[in-house]
Amino acid sequence: MDRAIPDPTWKRLGFAERPDFHTSGLGVGIVIIDSIKPHHLVNHLNTRIQCVAVHENMTVTMRDISSMNREEDNRKGEHGLMSVLALAHEPILLEGQIHVGIAPAATFIVLDHGAFTTGEGERLKKEWNGFLNMGSNGI
């Protein structure tokens, strides 16, 4: 079954030209409420991606997922990873077209949501307040 490679995301969204990998999204902070797991395809973000989680006992932790390898974390998190990659993946050439994330120079905070668990609303409020109190890491 041969499937055609779709146009780059930036083209499908109506951008006149592809986003510049070094400047598109620079100075912008993007908060993603989802779970995420480490993957080598986000390593280029370095300190521009952090995962904030509030646990059942209301303690707050931050993970630098760009420096972790996949084997260090067996959590689910493909959906959050796909969201980050759509926004920030490095340029690749496929069938003569350059595909690149639409805001690859942005800073990303992933609020690990733990959907459908008891106390989720309170944990999200604490995550958000903790994030704001951290000075938002230059966002």
Side-chain angles (χ1 to χ4, degrees):
M1 175 169 139
D2 286 333
R3 290 182 14 191
I5 302 289
D7 283 340
T9 302
W10 59 268
K11 191 178 272 189
R12 286 182 279 144
L13 290 174
F15 287 42
E17 57 188 44
R18 75 174 178 265
D20 183 286
F21 180 71
H22 300 288
T23 61
S24 183
L26 188 63
V28 173
I30 299 174
V31 177
I32 297 172
I33 300 175
D34 210 334
S35 55
I36 190 168
K37 64 192 299 180
H39 197 280
H40 68 93
L41 292 176
V42 299
N43 289 353
H44 68 283
L45 294 171
N46 296 315
T47 60
R48 292 185 298 117
I49 184 166
Q50 297 291 322
C51 183
V52 178
V54 176
H55 306 281
E56 297 287 333
N57 64 2
M58 298 304 257
T59 59
V60 179
T61 58
M62 280 186 52
R63 293 184 298 140
D64 176 5
I65 64 167
S66 69
S67 65
M68 296 172 68
N69 67 41
R70 297 174 77 147
E71 290 75 38
E72 292 179 49
D73 192 345
N74 59 3
R75 291 184 243 203
K76 294 180 180 175
E78 289 83 6
H79 189 266
L81 177 62
M82 293 301 111
S83 299
V84 170
L85 289 174
L87 293 165
H89 72 82
E90 295 181 286
I92 56 171
L93 180 64
L94 290 172
E95 294 187 3
Q97 296 193 77
I98 295 178
H99 294 250
V100 65
I102 59 174
T107 298
F108 297 88
I109 302 296
V110 180
L111 297 179
D112 195 348
H113 67 82
F116 308 113
T117 57
T118 304
E120 182 51 33
E122 289 304 310
R123 283 196 301 278
L124 274 176
K125 286 179 197 172
K126 185 164 183 167
E127 285 175 350
W128 185 248
N129 288 331
F131 167 69
L132 293 176
N133 291 333
M134 288 186 298
S136 42
N137 286 336
I139 296 176

